[in-house]
Amino acid sequence: MKVLVAVKRVIDANIKVRVRQDGSGVETANVKMAMNPFCEIAVEEAVRLAEDGIADQVVLVSAGPGPAKETLRTGLAMGADRAIHIVTEESLEPLAVAKLLAAVAAREDPGLILLGKQAIDDDCNQTGQMLAALLGWSQGTFASKIAMSDDGATLTVTREVDGGLETVALTMPAVVTTDLRLNEPRYATLPNIMGAKKKSIDPLTPEELGVDITPRLEVLRVDEPPARAGGIKVETAAELVDKLVNEAGVL
Amino acid sequence: MAVLVLAEHGDGTLAPATLSTITCAGEIGKAGGGEVTVLVAGKDCRQAADEAAAVDGVAKVLICDHEFYQNASAEALAALVQPLAASYGHILYPATTFGKNAAPRLAALVDSQQVSDIQAVIDAETFVRPIYAGNALATVRSRDAVKVITVRATAFEKAVPGGAPAMVEDLAPAADPGLSKFVGAKLSASERPELTSARVVISGGRGMGSGDNFILLEEIADLLGAAVGASRAAVDAGFVPNDYQVGQTGKIVAPELYIAVGISGAIQHLAGMKDSKVIVAINKDEDAPIFQVADYGIVGDLFDILPQLKAALAAAKQD
């Protein structure tokens, strides 16, 4: 079975973003970028499926400008076999990305597509579900555990839901989105980073895939959220309770 | 045109997030979106449908009582809603795991770019939503014919019963896409209030040291009628189950009082609780970022402070 993994390049999770003064967006110039953490988990899971003999090929896909290649290299160094780079300078919305991925899936014919449940930049949490809909496939979102049946026809997915955990059996082929507890992604070793340089990254364009990526949403402005007023330190628990009762009025 | 709300419900009642979503739908309705219809799909869900019909501002309730919808499968729900979509200008889901799972599947089928997790309605096509873990707020306009939206429950009051009861109309089930099958669920049972709608939340982080130590938080929670939450670090360490997680990609809470214990305050955690009315932080590291958002902070060892806090709360309760 071939496994396709979608990955996104985002501002590093440890960076506190700055909103541009003119309200046009957040500052991205000279900011550290990295693979979206949920995408790392997706790559790790795919590589483990290959190590377990369930996947015979792991193919990465990323859509975005030139530097998306760096993110693909990171995934290749983690153990993916090859990569596809959909090159575009346009800003991409989840629906457009889902359409691009559906077009790639039509060419590649994977049995399973793994994605992160959410990108930590736009926080949309949409692409995997949209892709499953466009392909008419089953979806297992927010996965914390996956297990393939012996005959490869069913994937059992444990999902992190608001009430706890839920388990569903998906008819293959399927789209799965990863949650935090699915695995702990490996660090690429130096030999693997060197080896990844020899792996192929094939460029494609939205035009070649026949997908209209014109944005649907108009971002009118991006603002900084209202800051919280500074607080105070108290010395004792008794003083805290007194403040909560008599000052804040919440007890 | 009208606004459709997909109801999350269970055990015969609407989820609190559904009531907040109805309020949001009402705001869109008044801004030109039209009347509010609520769709209750599930098994044995008549009671929840009747509850929805009694809610102020709901003009119509659609009920589809069939086993296909028993476990809120996104595949089955999308197949049910897609044929109805053309009659609505807006289709809203609560931004819970129910809505996050189901809404985008419908959005793709109706070729709509979903607007996720909105926290304010500017007009019928313009909405405010947090991005970058809430460190920025984007105002976006959608011109899609059917706007598919998920709603941040903490940003809208819960709708209450009132007005004349709405009519309840039966909706025939759609064909079962047969793509996925529910196997089972392991849900956390708790007598305490639900995390996202509790008036008081007390959360523990890595500093708690172990799952057993969460008893210190639970004792205080019981005195306050509070829910217990956790940071990602505490969940990853296996102290508590995943459904305790408060944060950017976990649960969003905005209680009257949030008490963060042994939580350093990573951006991702702050994203889930910084809209709380009053924030208390207890941490031994005086430079912990949690103190930057806290109204009241105590620097010290939580194992000393929690018993003192429990005693002080018990004493205050006596008065």
Side-chain angles (χ1 to χ4, degrees):
Chain A
M1 178 182 71
K2 188 191 279 184
V3 178
L4 203 64
V5 186
V7 297
K8 184 176 186 184
R9 186 171 184 266
V10 298
I11 292 180
D12 187 282
N14 299 308
I15 305 285
K16 187 172 189 311
V17 299
R18 279 180 211 290
V19 176
R20 287 197 203 110
Q21 288 296 319
D22 63 0
S24 64
V26 304
E27 195 50 70
T28 52
N30 302 316
V31 174
K32 188 180 175 217
M33 306 292 281
M35 188 189 292
N36 178 47
F38 289 95
C39 302
E40 281 186 332
I41 296 170
V43 175
E44 175 66 32
E45 197 65 16
V47 171
R48 289 187 190 189
L49 288 172
E51 288 167 349
D52 293 343
I54 295 167
D56 47 35
Q57 196 182 41
V58 175
V59 182
L60 305 180
V61 192
S62 191
K69 256 205 190 98
E70 293 167 23
T71 306
L72 290 169
R73 288 272 176 232
T74 304
L76 292 170
M78 287 173 72
D81 296 295
R82 63 188 179 86
I84 295 166
H85 178 194
I86 304 167
V87 187
T88 175
E89 298 292 326
E90 285 286 322
S91 89
L92 293 169
E93 292 172 345
L95 182 63
V97 176
K99 288 176 181 175
L100 291 169
L101 293 173
V104 169
R107 291 179 170 217
E108 293 283 335
D109 195 27
L112 175 66
I113 306 179
L114 290 166
L115 304 89
K117 77 164 180 182
Q118 180 170 341
I120 60 162
D121 49 5
D122 60 28
D123 283 333
C124 278
N125 194 336
Q126 298 174 5
T127 308
Q129 298 89 313
M130 287 178 159
L131 175 61
L134 295 175
L135 294 171
W137 291 9
S138 57
Q139 69 182 56
T141 52
F142 327 142
S144 66
K145 193 178 166 194
I146 64 172
M148 184 71 77
S149 65
D150 290 338
D151 64 358
T154 313
L155 187 73
T156 304
V157 179
T158 303
R159 309 177 52 232
E160 294 199 359
V161 295
D162 288 336
L165 297 171
E166 179 187 284
T167 305
V168 290
L170 305 181
T171 304
M172 297 294 281
V175 173
V176 169
T177 75
T178 62
D179 217 318
L180 294 167
R181 262 66 63 175
L182 183 60
N183 60 50
E184 212 167 298
R186 70 195 65 192
Y187 290 102
T189 60
L190 190 60
N192 288 344
I193 292 170
M194 300 310 289
K197 292 186 177 162
K198 297 196 197 84
K199 294 179 181 174
S200 70
I201 299 180
D202 298 319
L204 270 176
T205 63
E207 293 73 31
E208 285 171 300
L209 290 166
V211 175
D212 177 6
I213 56 166
T214 312
R216 302 289 193 80
L217 300 180
E218 194 184 341
V219 179
L220 302 180
R221 53 179 300 109
V222 174
D223 296 299
E224 200 143 350
R228 287 189 76 93
I232 58 161
K233 294 261 172 47
V234 296
E235 293 299 323
T236 67
E239 192 185 341
L240 173 65
V241 172
D242 177 64
K243 296 274 188 201
L244 291 176
V245 171
N246 298 314
E247 194 174 272
V250 289
L251 285 185
Chain B
M1 274 299 159
V3 184
L4 181 67
V5 172
L6 265 283
E8 178 178 5
H9 59 92
D11 298 327
T13 59
L14 298 175
T18 300
L19 296 170
S20 299
T21 305
I22 291 173
T23 300
C24 176
E27 287 187 23
I28 292 171
K30 287 195 189 81
E35 291 190 328
V36 176
T37 299
V38 177
L39 169 57
V40 179
K43 182 86 189 93
D44 302 327
C45 55
R46 181 73 52 182
Q47 211 181 321
D50 289 340
E51 184 190 345
V55 170
D56 198 17
V58 174
K60 187 162 117 182
V61 173
L62 298 173
I63 176 170
C64 185
D65 196 332
H66 196 280
E67 61 186 10
F68 291 167
Y69 312 105
Q70 184 161 15
N71 299 296
S73 132
E75 293 90 332
L77 281 174
L80 178 68
V81 181
Q82 186 186 2
L84 313 176
S87 312
Y88 297 94
H90 300 77
I91 302 181
L92 274 55
Y93 297 69
T96 56
T97 50
F98 158 81
K100 289 173 182 174
N101 183 43
R105 189 163 183 114
L106 174 77
L109 294 179
V110 300
D111 197 36
S112 175
Q113 174 51 59
Q114 179 181 317
V115 186
S116 286
D117 210 15
I118 67 165
Q119 63 175 51
V121 174
I122 306 295
D123 59 43
E125 54 187 28
T126 313
F127 313 97
V128 179
R129 60 176 304 266
I131 53 175
Y132 292 96
N135 287 301
L137 299 175
T139 303
V140 299
R141 179 187 288 153
S142 165
R143 301 224 192 256
D144 283 331
V146 181
K147 295 167 188 50
V148 179
I149 292 168
T150 60
V151 177
R152 175 169 287 210
T154 54
F156 298 89
E157 294 292 326
K158 290 191 267 292
V160 292
M167 58 173 167
V168 179
E169 210 174 277
D170 280 290
L171 179 68
D176 177 15
L179 293 169
S180 71
K181 212 169 71 198
F182 179 80
V183 178
K186 201 176 124 195
L187 303 181
S188 297
S190 173
E191 296 298 309
R192 296 192 187 90
E194 202 265 318
L195 191 51
T196 55
S197 55
R199 206 186 68 84
V200 180
V201 173
I202 181 163
S203 288
R206 200 196 306 270
M208 293 304 297
S210 77
D212 290 342
N213 290 334
F214 266 71
I215 184 93
L216 298 169
L217 302 182
E218 289 161 7
E219 288 169 354
I220 291 171
D222 291 340
L223 277 172
L224 294 173
V228 179
S231 68
R232 177 192 170 180
V235 178
D236 282 359
F239 297 173
V240 287
N242 64 284
D243 51 284
Y244 279 53
Q245 187 180 324
V246 171
Q248 178 184 16
T249 69
K251 286 181 180 156
I252 307 294
V253 303
E256 292 281 300
L257 172 61
Y258 188 89
I259 307 174
V261 184
I263 292 176
S264 63
I267 298 169
Q268 291 78 12
H269 184 76
L270 301 185
M273 44 64 80
K274 68 186 165 67
D275 292 329
S276 305
K277 190 172 161 221
V278 174
I279 296 173
V280 169
I282 300 171
N283 203 296
K284 65 176 183 226
D285 173 11
E286 63 178 324
D287 296 322
I290 191 75
F291 287 120
Q292 290 164 19
V293 300
D295 299 285
Y296 301 103
I298 303 186
V299 180
D301 187 337
L302 64 93
F303 295 104
D304 294 333
I305 295 164
L306 287 176
Q308 291 163 14
L309 180 60
K310 186 183 154 195
L313 286 168
K317 245 186 150 175
Q318 296 272 312
D319 293 344

Coordinates of all heavy atoms in Angstrom, one line a residue, chain A residues 36-101:
Chain A
N36 N 4.8 21.9 10.3 CA 3.7 21.9 11.3 C 3.8 20.6 12.2 O 3.9 19.5 11.7 CB 2.4 21.9 10.5 CG 1.1 21.9 11.4 OD1 1.1 22.6 12.4 ND2 0.2 21.0 11.1
P37 N 3.7 20.8 13.5 CA 3.9 19.7 14.4 C 3.0 18.5 14.2 O 3.4 17.3 14.3 CB 3.6 20.2 15.8 CG 3.9 21.7 15.7 CD 3.5 22.1 14.3
F38 N 1.7 18.7 13.8 CA 0.8 17.6 13.5 C 1.2 16.9 12.2 O 0.9 15.7 12.1 CB -0.7 18.2 13.4 CG -1.2 18.6 14.8 CD1 -1.1 19.9 15.2 CD2 -1.8 17.7 15.6 CE1 -1.6 20.3 16.4 CE2 -2.3 18.0 16.9 CZ -2.2 19.4 17.3
C39 N 1.8 17.6 11.3 CA 2.3 17.0 10.1 C 3.5 16.1 10.4 O 3.6 15.0 9.8 CB 2.7 18.0 9.0 SG 1.4 19.2 8.6
E40 N 4.3 16.5 11.3 CA 5.4 15.6 11.7 C 4.9 14.3 12.2 O 5.5 13.2 12.0 CB 6.2 16.3 12.9 CG 7.2 17.4 12.4 CD 8.0 17.9 13.6 OE1 7.5 17.8 14.8 OE2 9.1 18.3 13.4
I41 N 3.8 14.4 13.0 CA 3.2 13.1 13.6 C 2.7 12.3 12.4 O 2.9 11.0 12.5 CB 2.1 13.5 14.6 CG1 2.8 14.2 15.8 CG2 1.4 12.3 15.1 CD1 1.7 14.9 16.8
A42 N 2.2 12.9 11.4 CA 1.6 12.2 10.3 C 2.8 11.5 9.5 O 2.7 10.3 9.1 CB 0.9 13.1 9.3
V43 N 3.9 12.2 9.3 CA 5.0 11.6 8.6 C 5.6 10.4 9.5 O 5.8 9.3 8.9 CB 6.2 12.6 8.4 CG1 7.4 12.0 7.8 CG2 5.7 13.8 7.5
E44 N 5.7 10.6 10.8 CA 6.2 9.6 11.6 C 5.3 8.3 11.5 O 5.9 7.2 11.4 CB 6.2 10.1 13.1 CG 6.6 9.0 14.1 CD 8.1 8.5 14.0 OE1 8.9 9.3 13.6 OE2 8.3 7.4 14.3
E45 N 4.0 8.5 11.5 CA 3.1 7.3 11.5 C 3.3 6.6 10.2 O 3.3 5.4 10.1 CB 1.7 7.8 11.7 CG 0.7 6.7 12.0 CD 1.0 6.1 13.4 OE1 1.7 6.7 14.2 OE2 0.5 4.9 13.7
A46 N 3.4 7.3 9.1 CA 3.6 6.7 7.8 C 4.9 5.9 7.7 O 4.9 4.8 7.2 CB 3.6 7.8 6.7
V47 N 5.9 6.5 8.3 CA 7.2 5.8 8.3 C 7.2 4.5 9.1 O 7.7 3.5 8.7 CB 8.4 6.7 8.8 CG1 9.7 6.0 9.0 CG2 8.6 7.9 7.8
R48 N 6.4 4.6 10.2 CA 6.2 3.4 11.1 C 5.5 2.3 10.3 O 5.7 1.1 10.4 CB 5.5 3.7 12.4 CG 6.4 4.5 13.3 CD 5.8 4.7 14.7 NE 6.6 5.7 15.4 CZ 6.4 6.0 16.7 NH1 5.5 5.4 17.4 NH2 7.2 6.9 17.3
L49 N 4.4 2.8 9.5 CA 3.7 1.8 8.7 C 4.6 1.1 7.7 O 4.5 -0.1 7.5 CB 2.5 2.5 8.0 CG 1.3 2.9 8.9 CD1 0.4 3.8 8.1 CD2 0.6 1.7 9.5
A50 N 5.6 1.9 7.2 CA 6.5 1.3 6.2 C 7.4 0.3 7.0 O 7.7 -0.8 6.5 CB 7.3 2.4 5.6
E51 N 7.9 0.7 8.2 CA 8.8 -0.2 9.0 C 8.1 -1.5 9.4 O 8.7 -2.5 9.5 CB 9.3 0.6 10.2 CG 10.3 1.7 9.8 CD 10.6 2.6 11.0 OE1 9.9 2.6 12.0 OE2 11.5 3.4 10.8
D52 N 6.8 -1.4 9.6 CA 6.0 -2.6 9.9 C 5.6 -3.4 8.7 O 4.8 -4.4 8.9 CB 4.7 -2.1 10.7 CG 5.1 -1.5 12.1 OD1 6.2 -1.7 12.5 OD2 4.2 -0.9 12.7
G53 N 6.0 -3.0 7.6 CA 5.6 -3.7 6.4 C 4.2 -3.5 5.8 O 3.8 -4.2 5.0
I54 N 3.5 -2.5 6.4 CA 2.1 -2.3 6.0 C 2.1 -1.3 4.8 O 1.4 -1.5 3.8 CB 1.3 -1.7 7.2 CG1 1.2 -2.8 8.2 CG2 -0.1 -1.2 6.7 CD1 0.6 -2.3 9.6
A55 N 3.0 -0.3 4.8 CA 3.1 0.6 3.7 C 4.4 0.1 2.9 O 5.4 -0.2 3.5 CB 3.3 2.0 4.2
D56 N 4.2 0.2 1.5 CA 5.5 -0.1 0.8 C 6.1 1.1 0.2 O 7.2 1.1 -0.3 CB 5.2 -1.2 -0.3 CG 3.9 -0.8 -1.2 OD1 3.7 0.4 -1.4 OD2 3.2 -1.8 -1.5
Q57 N 5.4 2.3 0.2 CA 6.0 3.5 -0.2 C 5.3 4.7 0.5 O 4.1 4.7 0.7 CB 5.8 3.7 -1.7 CG 6.7 4.7 -2.3 CD 6.5 4.9 -3.8 OE1 5.4 5.0 -4.3 NE2 7.6 5.1 -4.5
V58 N 6.1 5.6 1.0 CA 5.6 6.8 1.6 C 5.9 8.0 0.8 O 7.1 8.3 0.5 CB 6.2 7.0 3.1 CG1 5.7 8.3 3.7 CG2 5.8 5.8 3.9
V59 N 4.9 8.7 0.3 CA 5.1 9.9 -0.6 C 4.6 11.1 0.1 O 3.4 11.2 0.6 CB 4.3 9.7 -1.9 CG1 4.5 10.9 -2.8 CG2 4.7 8.4 -2.6
L60 N 5.4 12.1 0.2 CA 5.1 13.4 0.8 C 4.6 14.4 -0.2 O 5.0 14.4 -1.3 CB 6.3 14.0 1.5 CG 7.0 13.2 2.6 CD1 8.2 14.0 3.1 CD2 6.1 12.8 3.7
V61 N 3.6 15.2 0.2 CA 3.2 16.3 -0.7 C 3.1 17.6 0.1 O 2.6 17.6 1.3 CB 1.7 16.1 -1.2 CG1 1.4 17.1 -2.3 CG2 1.5 14.7 -1.6
S62 N 3.6 18.7 -0.5 CA 3.4 20.0 0.2 C 3.1 21.0 -0.9 O 3.6 20.8 -2.1 CB 4.7 20.4 0.9 OG 4.4 21.5 1.7
A63 N 2.3 21.9 -0.6 CA 1.9 23.0 -1.6 C 2.4 24.3 -1.0 O 2.1 24.6 0.2 CB 0.4 23.0 -1.8
G64 N 3.0 25.1 -1.8 CA 3.5 26.4 -1.3 C 4.7 26.9 -2.1 O 5.1 26.2 -3.1
P65 N 5.3 28.0 -1.7 CA 6.4 28.6 -2.5 C 7.7 27.7 -2.3 O 7.6 26.7 -1.5 CB 6.6 30.0 -1.9 CG 5.8 30.0 -0.6 CD 4.8 28.9 -0.7
G66 N 8.7 28.2 -2.9 CA 10.0 27.4 -2.9 C 10.5 26.8 -1.6 O 10.8 25.6 -1.6
P67 N 10.5 27.5 -0.5 CA 11.0 26.9 0.7 C 10.2 25.7 1.2 O 10.7 25.0 2.2 CB 10.9 28.1 1.7 CG 10.9 29.3 0.9 CD 10.2 28.9 -0.4
A68 N 9.0 25.5 0.7 CA 8.3 24.3 1.1 C 9.1 23.0 0.9 O 9.0 22.0 1.6 CB 7.0 24.1 0.3
K69 N 10.1 23.2 0.0 CA 11.1 22.1 -0.3 C 11.8 21.7 0.9 O 12.1 20.5 1.2 CB 12.1 22.5 -1.4 CG 11.8 22.0 -2.7 CD 13.2 22.0 -3.5 CE 13.0 21.7 -4.9 NZ 12.9 22.9 -5.8
E70 N 12.2 22.7 1.8 CA 12.9 22.4 3.0 C 12.1 21.5 3.9 O 12.7 20.6 4.5 CB 13.3 23.7 3.8 CG 14.2 24.6 3.0 CD 14.2 26.0 3.7 OE1 13.9 26.1 4.9 OE2 14.6 26.9 3.0
T71 N 10.8 21.8 4.0 CA 9.9 21.0 4.8 C 9.8 19.5 4.3 O 9.9 18.6 5.0 CB 8.6 21.6 4.9 OG1 8.7 23.0 5.3 CG2 7.6 20.9 5.8
L72 N 9.8 19.4 3.0 CA 9.7 18.1 2.3 C 11.0 17.3 2.6 O 11.0 16.1 2.9 CB 9.5 18.2 0.8 CG 8.1 18.7 0.4 CD1 8.0 19.1 -1.0 CD2 7.1 17.6 0.8
R73 N 12.2 18.0 2.6 CA 13.5 17.4 2.9 C 13.5 16.9 4.3 O 14.0 15.8 4.6 CB 14.6 18.4 2.7 CG 15.0 18.8 1.3 CD 16.0 17.8 0.7 NE 16.2 18.2 -0.7 CZ 16.1 17.4 -1.7 NH1 15.8 16.1 -1.5 NH2 16.2 17.8 -3.0
T74 N 12.9 17.6 5.2 CA 12.8 17.2 6.6 C 12.1 15.9 6.7 O 12.5 14.9 7.4 CB 12.1 18.2 7.5 OG1 12.7 19.5 7.3 CG2 12.0 17.9 9.0
G75 N 10.9 15.8 6.0 CA 10.1 14.6 6.0 C 10.9 13.4 5.3 O 10.8 12.2 5.8
L76 N 11.6 13.7 4.3 CA 12.4 12.7 3.6 C 13.5 12.1 4.5 O 13.8 10.9 4.6 CB 13.0 13.2 2.3 CG 12.0 13.5 1.2 CD1 12.7 14.3 0.0 CD2 11.3 12.3 0.7
A77 N 14.1 13.1 5.3 CA 15.1 12.6 6.3 C 14.5 11.8 7.4 O 15.2 11.0 8.0 CB 15.8 13.9 6.9
M78 N 13.2 12.0 7.7 CA 12.6 11.1 8.7 C 12.3 9.7 8.2 O 12.0 8.8 8.9 CB 11.2 11.8 9.1 CG 11.4 13.0 10.0 SD 9.8 13.8 10.3 CE 9.0 12.7 11.5
G79 N 12.3 9.6 6.8 CA 12.2 8.2 6.3 C 11.2 8.1 5.1 O 11.0 6.9 4.6
A80 N 10.6 9.2 4.7 CA 9.7 9.1 3.5 C 10.5 8.8 2.3 O 11.7 9.0 2.2 CB 8.9 10.3 3.3
D81 N 9.9 8.2 1.2 CA 10.6 7.7 0.1 C 10.8 8.8 -1.0 O 11.9 8.9 -1.6 CB 9.9 6.5 -0.6 CG 9.9 5.4 0.4 OD1 10.9 4.8 0.7 OD2 8.8 5.0 0.8
R82 N 9.8 9.6 -1.3 CA 9.9 10.6 -2.2 C 8.9 11.7 -2.0 O 8.1 11.5 -1.1 CB 9.8 10.1 -3.7 CG 8.4 9.5 -4.0 CD 8.5 8.8 -5.4 NE 7.2 8.2 -5.6 CZ 6.1 8.8 -6.2 NH1 6.2 10.1 -6.5 NH2 5.0 8.2 -6.4
A83 N 9.0 12.8 -2.7 CA 8.1 13.9 -2.4 C 7.6 14.6 -3.7 O 8.2 14.5 -4.7 CB 8.8 14.9 -1.5
I84 N 6.5 15.3 -3.5 CA 5.9 16.1 -4.6 C 5.7 17.5 -4.0 O 5.1 17.7 -3.0 CB 4.5 15.5 -5.0 CG1 4.7 14.1 -5.6 CG2 3.8 16.4 -6.0 CD1 3.4 13.3 -5.7
H85 N 6.2 18.4 -4.8 CA 6.1 19.8 -4.4 C 5.2 20.6 -5.3 O 5.5 20.7 -6.5 CB 7.5 20.5 -4.4 CG 7.5 21.9 -4.0 ND1 8.5 22.8 -4.2 CD2 6.5 22.7 -3.4 CE1 8.2 24.0 -3.7 NE2 7.0 24.0 -3.3
I86 N 4.0 21.0 -4.9 CA 3.1 21.8 -5.7 C 3.5 23.2 -5.5 O 3.3 23.8 -4.5 CB 1.6 21.5 -5.3 CG1 1.3 20.0 -5.3 CG2 0.7 22.3 -6.2 CD1 0.0 19.6 -4.7
V87 N 4.1 23.8 -6.6 CA 4.7 25.1 -6.4 C 3.7 26.2 -6.8 O 3.1 26.2 -7.8 CB 5.9 25.2 -7.4 CG1 6.7 26.5 -7.2 CG2 6.8 24.0 -7.3
T88 N 3.5 27.1 -5.8 CA 2.7 28.2 -6.0 C 3.1 29.3 -5.0 O 3.5 29.1 -3.9 CB 1.2 27.9 -5.9 OG1 0.4 29.1 -6.0 CG2 0.9 27.2 -4.5
E89 N 2.9 30.6 -5.5 CA 3.2 31.7 -4.6 C 1.9 32.2 -4.0 O 1.9 33.1 -3.1 CB 3.8 32.9 -5.4 CG 5.2 32.5 -6.0 CD 6.3 32.4 -5.0 OE1 6.2 33.1 -3.9 OE2 7.2 31.5 -5.2
E90 N 0.8 31.7 -4.5 CA -0.6 32.1 -4.0 C -0.7 31.7 -2.5 O -0.2 30.6 -2.1 CB -1.7 31.5 -4.8 CG -1.9 32.1 -6.2 CD -2.6 33.4 -6.1 OE1 -3.5 33.6 -5.3 OE2 -2.2 34.3 -6.9
S91 N -1.5 32.5 -1.8 CA -1.8 31.9 -0.4 C -3.0 30.9 -0.6 O -3.9 31.1 -1.4 CB -2.2 33.1 0.5 OG -3.6 33.3 0.4
L92 N -2.8 29.8 0.1 CA -3.7 28.7 -0.1 C -4.7 28.5 1.0 O -4.3 28.5 2.2 CB -2.9 27.4 -0.3 CG -2.0 27.3 -1.5 CD1 -1.1 26.1 -1.4 CD2 -2.9 27.2 -2.8
E93 N -5.9 28.3 0.7 CA -6.9 28.0 1.7 C -7.1 26.4 1.7 O -6.9 25.7 0.8 CB -8.2 28.7 1.4 CG -8.2 30.2 1.5 CD -9.4 30.9 1.0 OE1 -10.2 30.3 0.3 OE2 -9.5 32.1 1.3
P94 N -7.7 25.9 2.9 CA -7.8 24.5 3.0 C -8.6 23.8 1.8 O -8.2 22.7 1.4 CB -8.6 24.3 4.3 CG -8.2 25.5 5.1 CD -8.0 26.6 4.1
L95 N -9.7 24.5 1.4 CA -10.4 23.8 0.3 C -9.6 23.7 -1.0 O -9.6 22.6 -1.6 CB -11.7 24.7 0.0 CG -12.6 24.1 -1.1 CD1 -13.2 22.8 -0.7 CD2 -13.7 25.1 -1.4
A96 N -8.7 24.7 -1.3 CA -7.8 24.6 -2.4 C -6.8 23.5 -2.2 O -6.5 22.7 -3.1 CB -7.2 26.0 -2.6
V97 N -6.3 23.4 -1.0 CA -5.3 22.4 -0.7 C -5.9 21.0 -0.8 O -5.3 20.1 -1.4 CB -4.7 22.6 0.7 CG1 -3.7 21.4 1.0 CG2 -3.9 23.9 0.8
A98 N -7.1 20.9 -0.3 CA -7.8 19.6 -0.4 C -8.0 19.2 -1.9 O -7.8 18.0 -2.3 CB -9.2 19.6 0.3
K99 N -8.3 20.2 -2.8 CA -8.5 19.9 -4.2 C -7.2 19.5 -4.8 O -7.2 18.6 -5.7 CB -9.1 21.1 -4.9 CG -10.6 21.4 -4.6 CD -11.1 22.6 -5.2 CE -12.6 22.9 -4.8 NZ -13.0 24.2 -5.4
L100 N -6.1 20.2 -4.4 CA -4.8 19.8 -5.0 C -4.4 18.4 -4.6 O -3.9 17.6 -5.4 CB -3.7 20.8 -4.5 CG -3.8 22.2 -5.0 CD1 -2.9 23.2 -4.2 CD2 -3.5 22.3 -6.5
L101 N -4.7 18.1 -3.3 CA -4.3 16.7 -2.8 C -5.2 15.7 -3.5 O -4.7 14.6 -3.8 CB -4.5 16.7 -1.3 CG -3.5 17.6 -0.5 CD1 -3.9 17.5 1.0 CD2 -2.1 17.1 -0.7

